[in-house]
Amino acid sequence: LWRIEFRSLRQDLAKNLYLLSRRVLNDGNPHAAWRLIHELLWYDSDYGRARTLLGYEQYGDEWVTPFAAKKMRDRFVWHDKFGWLPALHVERYEKGERFYRNRWYTAQKESQLRRQWAYAWEIETDKYLLKTNVGLEEGVELAKKLEVFHEWFQRAFPAFFNTTEQLKVLFGGASRRRRVKHSPFVVHYYRSKEEYVRRLINKNPQIAITNGIYTPDERTSHFYVDPNSDIESTVYHEGTHQILYELDPKPRRIADNEHFWILEGFACYVESFRPLANGISIGNPDYVRFFFAQHNLVEDGFFVPLDRFASLSKNAYQAPMHISERYSQASGLVHFYMHYENGQYRDAMIDNFAALYRPIDPGFRIGGMDYFTGVPYSKLSQQYREYITGLDSAPNRLAAAIQAAE
């Protein structure tokens, strides 16, 4: 009996959150309304209006994405180790067999055949197409992490995906939401750094010093297996660049002349994203980027005033001298804008960042954080210095932070 009452209470709460989202929308805050829509599904995952608004469709008694619905209609099932498989293949896969080029092989034989990049596995999920010669299971594991990351990113930062006006239209016509076909994000995952360098050296002569890269011209993220480190932070960093650049199909240059700090600072901030059993963690002050933002300011006295920092072009920002210090300051600065005084500047920073990624007319100049916050850079600089100095990052973690940075 108590379970029925508990379920009823959760359903009532979801309904009230939906009504609250409508009031918040009418009060002129569609981004907060969007977050409430995601929140209410935690209490009632079958709330139809919210599911429809977010683009889901009903397949049997489940709410699934259009991609998943098509797979299920084609009699595929999702397997947590092997990804989407024809339902008739599952039992044989679990016994160690693999179907490749219309034949069944042992898993070991298939792995040998797919070592060459031309024959690599291609793993499809809702948002990603991941090609890898590392292994099927390893590729599926990475694809799952990317899906969790993208789902969180879209929920946390709706301003990137929809303007205020577009969100109002979506809320106004949830039942008539137009389905938009989106090309998947392409990811390449290589067996070794040597192969990664060999395949990308012609595109980037400095590729050997990178742990991963997103190439906008081909719209592909590239990563490799590194037995000595966890690539998760790099995946989230480059994944952020990929998600944001591919918001629009047009090739374009972004923040080449000024405000370049925010592109890299935000990606460095998102590196700290970690899924947890009951949610996610992001912005942990002990993460290496934020640790060094504080260390460089407090111990070494490194600080570029924010008006000058915002004026740096891409080339000036990435100049070799003090490049690591600039990346640390940019990371700390995003942390400041996201969390200062319970997120006082958060929406302003997201609006500033989103504006940089949207196509603009030639000659149009996008303002900086002084414009978007209405606060002069002199005051923002003072607030930032006080905030980072007091950031709860333990000094005795220095050795661990240095090791993580190497």
Side-chain angles (χ1 to χ4, degrees):
L1 183 63
W2 70 266
R3 289 187 178 89
I4 296 174
E5 184 177 353
F6 183 58
R7 184 167 62 249
S8 177
L9 288 171
R10 290 173 68 96
Q11 290 170 340
D12 288 344
L13 180 55
K15 181 180 179 180
N16 288 333
L17 284 172
Y18 181 79
L19 294 175
L20 177 60
S21 76
R22 306 296 301 192
R23 291 198 296 273
V24 170
L25 175 70
N26 292 333
D27 287 342
N29 196 338
H31 297 142
W34 189 254
R35 288 192 286 270
L36 286 169
I37 289 295
H38 284 275
E39 177 73 15
L40 73 85
L41 289 174
W42 193 83
Y43 298 100
D44 183 3
S45 60
D46 288 325
Y47 199 93
R49 293 181 187 177
R51 285 292 184 184
T52 303
L53 180 61
L54 296 176
Y56 289 86
E57 61 182 73
Q58 209 157 10
Y59 184 87
D61 58 355
E62 295 182 77
W63 286 98
V64 298
T65 64
F67 173 85
K70 183 180 185 305
K71 283 290 188 183
M72 293 163 80
R73 284 192 291 269
D74 292 339
R75 300 189 179 183
F76 279 68
V77 295
W78 173 259
H79 193 287
D80 205 46
K81 284 181 64 178
F82 308 124
W84 287 104
L85 291 176
L88 294 176
H89 289 185
V90 172
E91 185 176 354
R92 296 186 71 168
Y93 265 71
E94 290 178 340
K95 290 179 178 179
E97 297 180 78
R98 301 291 183 268
F99 193 71
Y100 177 56
R101 290 188 166 184
N102 297 317
R103 286 186 56 187
W104 285 98
Y105 296 92
T106 64
Q108 183 180 10
K109 179 63 176 178
E110 187 202 29
S111 180
Q112 293 172 354
L113 293 171
R114 289 186 180 272
R115 283 176 181 266
Q116 294 186 46
W117 189 251
Y119 309 122
W121 287 272
E122 292 191 354
I123 298 159
E124 285 187 282
T125 60
D126 281 287
K127 300 296 183 183
Y128 289 87
L129 174 59
L130 187 145
K131 184 174 181 178
T132 183
N133 59 355
V134 178
L136 176 60
E137 292 91 332
E138 292 84 352
V140 169
E141 193 62 30
L142 179 57
K144 290 192 300 183
K145 288 181 178 180
L146 286 164
E147 284 289 339
V148 170
F149 174 66
H150 185 277
E151 183 181 4
W152 164 79
F153 197 101
Q154 193 169 29
R155 181 173 69 250
F157 306 116
F160 289 128
F161 299 89
N162 299 101
T163 64
T164 296
E165 292 72 23
Q166 288 169 333
L167 284 174
K168 287 180 178 178
V169 170
L170 285 176
F171 272 95
S175 62
R176 304 182 300 279
R177 179 168 185 173
R178 179 172 61 91
R179 186 176 299 168
V180 179
K181 181 175 176 57
H182 171 69
S183 298
F185 298 106
V186 178
V187 175
H188 289 177
Y189 185 34
Y190 305 100
R191 291 177 61 85
S192 67
K193 183 172 184 177
E194 290 73 23
E195 183 172 17
Y196 166 83
V197 171
R198 186 173 67 251
R199 297 191 66 83
L200 295 169
I201 190 68
N202 291 334
K203 294 181 179 294
N204 185 341
Q206 303 297 316
I207 194 66
I209 66 172
T210 67
N211 297 321
I213 194 169
Y214 172 64
T215 52
D217 58 332
E218 61 179 3
R219 294 179 174 241
T220 302
S221 287
H222 302 266
F223 309 106
Y224 62 88
V225 173
D226 185 349
N228 298 315
S229 67
D230 182 3
I231 68 166
E232 203 165 352
S233 295
T234 304
V235 167
Y236 298 142
H237 182 116
E238 302 302 332
T240 297
H241 288 316
Q242 182 168 30
I243 290 171
L244 294 175
Y245 186 81
E246 295 184 25
L247 289 171
D248 192 275
K250 301 183 186 69
R252 61 208 189 278
R253 309 294 296 179
I254 300 169
D256 273 5
N257 298 319
E258 58 183 344
H259 307 307
F260 185 78
W261 74 269
I262 198 171
L263 272 66
E264 290 300 329
F266 188 79
C268 290
Y269 170 82
V270 173
E271 284 179 17
S272 66
F273 172 85
R274 291 294 182 273
L276 303 174
N278 296 311
I280 67 100
S281 168
I282 189 166
N284 184 338
D286 288 327
Y287 182 66
V288 59
R289 298 283 192 183
F290 314 132
F291 179 93
F292 276 108
Q294 182 189 61
H295 179 82
N296 293 341
L297 174 65
V298 175
E299 302 298 328
D300 299 336
F302 180 88
F303 176 71
V304 180
L306 299 191
D307 55 341
R308 193 145 55 87
F309 203 55
S311 72
L312 293 177
S313 65
K314 177 179 179 180
N315 289 338
Y317 182 90
Q318 294 188 323
M321 184 175 290
H322 297 306
I323 185 172
S324 63
E325 288 88 349
R326 284 191 292 274
Y327 268 84
S328 294
Q329 179 170 325
S331 306
L333 193 52
V334 171
H335 199 289
F336 162 70
Y337 284 132
M338 292 291 287
H339 300 284
Y340 178 74
E341 294 292 335
N342 296 315
Q344 176 180 329
Y345 298 138
R346 183 181 190 274
D347 288 345
M349 196 207 72
I350 298 303
D351 288 341
N352 189 180
F353 196 19
L356 290 170
Y357 270 97
R358 294 194 186 105
I360 58 174
D361 295 329
F364 183 82
R365 184 179 179 187
I366 294 173
M369 282 301 292
D370 59 335
Y371 169 78
F372 279 87
T373 62
V375 179
Y377 274 130
S378 57
K379 184 173 182 180
L380 290 172
S381 291
Q382 178 186 350
Q383 291 174 337
Y384 168 74
R385 293 175 68 105
E386 293 172 353
Y387 175 83
I388 287 297
T389 299
L391 195 63
D392 184 21
S393 182
N396 61 6
R397 303 274 176 104
L398 176 60
I402 291 174
Q403 183 178 9
E406 291 175 343

